Amino acid sequence: KVFQHHVHINYADNGAGFDVQKVFDNDSEAFGLRNMQSRVGFLNGEMNIDSTPGEGARFTLQVPI
């Protein structure tokens, strides 16, 4: 999507990575990520997470201004 008048934040690393679905299925592991998603959603934004174990992670946040 192309957004005008939005703040875009992209973060990527080459760390350990994780299985996104598995983390969200385990309530005790995803507290911080769910908190981030909730706050971005409250601002009518979007947060996408792309990660694979052993291959790092990529987070993309878009929030209207």
Side-chain angles (χ1 to χ4, degrees), residues 2-8 62-65:
V2 175
F3 293 100
Q4 294 181 2
H5 302 52
H6 281 70
V7 172
H8 301 269
Q62 301 169 353
V63 179
I65 52 174

Side-chain angles (χ1 to χ4, degrees), residues 37-64:
Q37 271 191 327
S38 175
R39 289 171 186 259
V40 170
F42 180 75
L43 297 171
N44 296 316
E46 296 180 17
M47 183 173 101
N48 297 302
I49 305 168
D50 180 28
S51 184
T52 303
E55 296 184 19
R58 180 178 301 124
F59 294 79
T60 304
L61 290 83
Q62 301 169 353
V63 179

